[in-house]
Amino acid sequence: MPKLGESITEAAIITWFKNVGDIIEEDEMLLEVATDKVDSEVPSNVSGVIEEILYEANEVIKIGQTIAVIKVDGSVQSNSKSTDSNNTKNKIEKKKVTKRPKSVQVASSPTSNSFSVGNSNIFFSPLIISIAKEQHISFEELARIPATGNEGRLRKSDLFQYIEDGRPYKFAQLPAQQDPTAYRIPQLSFDKGKGKIVEMDRMRKMIADHMVYSKHTSPHVTAYVEADLTNMVNWRDANKVAFQEKYGERLTFTPLFVEAVAKAVKDFPNINASVDGDNIIIKEDINIGMATALPSGNLIVPVVKNADTKDLKQLAENVNELANKARENKLVGDDIKGSTFTISNVGTFGSVMGTPIINQPEVAILALGIIKKRPEVIETENGDEIAIRSMMYLSLSFDHRVVDGFLGGSFVRRVADYFEQFDTNRKI
């Protein structure tokens, strides 16, 4: 499995374009894989005959692992394999076993809470084990969770659903059939109604898992402020044509928003953080993610890297490039990696305000509502007057484990201040 981008450590196989025995040319596409929310086609690095395919669709493979064997000397025909080929296959199968994650089985003790782990058919992937460790879920508890994967394997969605259900087996010491006092999930019957059944696509499942995990992990609190964007709106309207003529880039509101948010993050660096157990990691880089809708309707978060170091021209270039790639489904792994703070422009869809879910492992996310003209009372040299102003609601959802009300409220207020104090004499 080749390297697919910075910080990407694994990929899920979507489909193979070739079968065992097929001839493939160098740089011809061999398979399609998924990394987070981005799909990528992987070319062959040699020409030859496909001798062995080691993994099937939907399996998650570490970067650098062997996923297929290609015979490059031309001695293997597409419809048969030589003895050497069979020997090679046996060797590959041995390698394949050692590369697979080990399975574990839990043996309950009727007189204690202890458990043992051994080789069996109860399979827990490294990802499942990692999540379980974070949530302090034992192997014994894992073994009781209903599994929907192939061959009875526990899937990430099964684990998140179990957590969302309140971990009903958390205090169960024995299987219910052995211990009549053990807690049992109530047999509830919900009327789900009738209608067209649409199966979630892979990306929607990943989004669902990520959102459930975020809500379970971070105690969400939301703070609201409103901002007068009249100066910013007037300046942008007066300069957008000249900006495009000078730089060849459309001047939307997004780069202006990113610029102000990056300034506020520099003022309050503790908002630019993530949580690692009992430690808080204050990020050095300020990378602003912008929640963006794909043509399919699914959501993705491309990232403006080092936003605090870029001028408005550079920000507009980055924002436009990422938005265009999202619309054309051309985002790659590095485009969506490394965000330290995320904004979601819910006003694009006409929403007055929103209560966004934190993009893990960040600790806050800012929603920007629709810019709407309305009468406001303003202070002038002649006293209070009523004027038509361009107003916006801002809402910051933050992780109350590490961000308190003072930091959250101060940060979102500072963003609003930067919006309101926009310099109308600014040169493009």
Side-chain angles (χ1 to χ4, degrees):
M1 183 69 73
K3 186 174 180 180
L4 299 167
E6 183 182 358
S7 76
I8 296 176
T9 60
E10 62 184 18
I13 296 174
I14 298 176
T15 185
W16 290 93
F17 299 134
K18 296 287 186 177
N19 298 313
V20 173
D22 287 350
I23 297 173
I24 189 168
E25 301 295 331
E26 185 176 0
D27 294 329
E28 186 179 357
M29 293 305 166
L30 177 60
L31 75 161
E32 185 179 20
V33 300
T35 59
D36 289 341
K37 300 176 184 177
V38 175
D39 299 343
S40 303
E41 292 183 341
V42 176
S44 172
N45 56 2
V46 295
S47 298
V49 177
I50 308 295
E51 188 177 54
E52 190 77 16
I53 291 178
L54 302 181
Y55 296 96
E56 299 177 355
N58 299 320
E59 292 194 81
V60 178
I61 313 301
K62 297 291 184 184
I63 300 301
Q65 253 184 301
T66 301
I67 55 176
V69 177
I70 300 175
K71 192 81 168 181
V72 296
D73 62 6
S75 63
V76 178
Q77 302 298 319
S78 62
N79 59 352
S80 66
K81 291 186 178 181
S82 64
T83 303
D84 290 340
S85 173
N86 290 330
N87 291 336
T88 301
K89 178 179 179 180
N90 292 333
K91 294 177 182 178
I92 295 300
E93 287 298 322
K94 291 179 181 179
K95 290 182 180 179
K96 180 179 177 181
V97 171
T98 60
K99 286 177 178 287
R100 299 270 186 175
K102 293 181 180 179
S103 59
V104 298
Q105 181 181 14
V106 176
S108 299
S109 169
T111 58
S112 71
N113 296 337
S114 64
F115 60 91
S116 61
V117 179
N119 294 323
S120 183
N121 60 347
I122 299 180
F123 177 83
F124 299 140
S125 70
L127 176 60
I128 293 294
I129 294 173
S130 175
I131 297 171
K133 286 176 63 178
E134 292 177 359
Q135 303 299 324
H136 305 290
I137 297 175
S138 68
F139 284 110
E140 186 173 18
E141 187 177 352
L142 281 178
R144 291 187 171 90
I145 300 174
T148 62
N150 293 335
E151 300 179 355
R153 292 183 179 182
L154 189 67
R155 301 172 59 194
K156 181 173 65 172
S157 57
D158 297 330
L159 181 53
F160 284 145
Q161 184 60 55
Y162 172 73
I163 293 170
E164 182 73 6
D165 290 340
R167 293 176 58 184
Y169 300 135
K170 181 176 182 179
F171 301 106
Q173 302 301 314
L174 291 172
Q177 63 268 27
Q178 298 181 29
D179 183 0
T181 65
Y183 180 85
R184 294 176 176 82
I185 298 177
Q187 298 299 311
L188 302 177
S189 179
F190 297 103
D191 182 6
K192 298 180 180 179
K194 297 180 180 179
K196 179 182 179 182
I197 297 175
V198 179
E199 183 179 358
M200 289 186 183
D201 59 24
R202 181 186 56 81
M203 184 178 293
R204 177 50 52 186
K205 291 177 183 177
M206 294 176 69
I207 293 172
D209 285 346
H210 192 66
M211 295 298 98
V212 170
Y213 174 71
S214 182
K215 289 292 287 185
H216 175 81
T217 301
S218 300
H220 283 57
V221 177
T222 306
Y224 302 88
V225 300
E226 64 175 341
D228 185 342
L229 271 66
T230 304
N231 290 343
M232 180 187 289
V233 170
N234 291 341
W235 182 89
R236 184 253 178 184
D237 289 345
N239 289 277
K240 61 182 179 181
V241 174
F243 189 92
Q244 184 159 9
E245 290 176 349
K246 183 174 182 178
Y247 300 118
E249 296 288 344
R250 293 177 60 246
L251 180 60
T252 65
F253 283 107
T254 303
L256 298 172
F257 295 157
V258 170
E259 180 182 56
V261 169
K263 289 180 181 179
V265 170
K266 289 193 73 172
D267 295 341
F268 296 94
N270 286 354
I271 209 78
N272 196 51
S274 62
V275 180
D276 181 19
D278 293 331
N279 298 320
I280 303 171
I281 303 172
I282 310 298
K283 304 298 180 66
E284 296 178 353
D285 296 329
I286 298 177
N287 301 330
I288 306 298
M290 3 176 260
T292 305
L294 292 169
S296 63
N298 289 323
L299 192 68
I300 201 164
V301 184
V303 182
V304 179
K305 307 288 178 60
N306 303 115
D308 59 313
T309 67
K310 297 176 178 177
D311 59 25
L312 187 59
K313 171 183 174 292
Q314 293 171 315
L315 290 175
E317 289 173 348
N318 282 182
V319 167
N320 291 338
E321 179 187 13
L322 292 170
N324 290 335
K325 290 172 76 172
R327 280 192 291 268
E328 297 170 5
N329 283 318
K330 292 183 178 179
L331 289 169
V332 297
D334 285 345
D335 292 331
I336 62 171
K337 287 291 183 181
S339 67
T340 61
F341 185 89
T342 298
I343 62 174
S344 180
N345 190 356
V346 299
T348 302
F349 315 112
S351 296
V352 174
M353 65 177 68
T355 53
I357 297 176
I358 296 168
N359 183 25
Q360 297 293 328
E362 298 163 27
V363 298
I365 182 172
L366 179 68
L368 305 170
I370 191 173
I371 301 173
K372 190 171 184 179
K373 290 184 178 181
R374 64 173 187 260
E376 290 288 320
V377 176
I378 61 173
E379 294 180 359
T380 71
E381 58 185 14
N382 299 320
D384 291 344
E385 295 182 358
I386 296 178
I388 302 299
R389 310 295 290 178
S390 296
M391 305 297 294
M392 171 194 278
Y393 286 107
L394 293 78
S395 49
L396 180 78
S397 293
F398 54 89
D399 186 338
H400 214 337
R401 293 178 300 171
V402 294
V403 179
D404 291 325
F406 174 78
L407 174 58
S410 299
F411 172 79
V412 69
R413 182 62 256 173
R414 183 64 55 84
V415 175
D417 289 342
Y418 281 129
F419 286 178
E420 293 184 341
Q421 296 164 9
F422 192 88
D423 182 6
T424 56
N425 296 318
R426 179 176 182 175
K427 303 297 182 181
I428 60 172

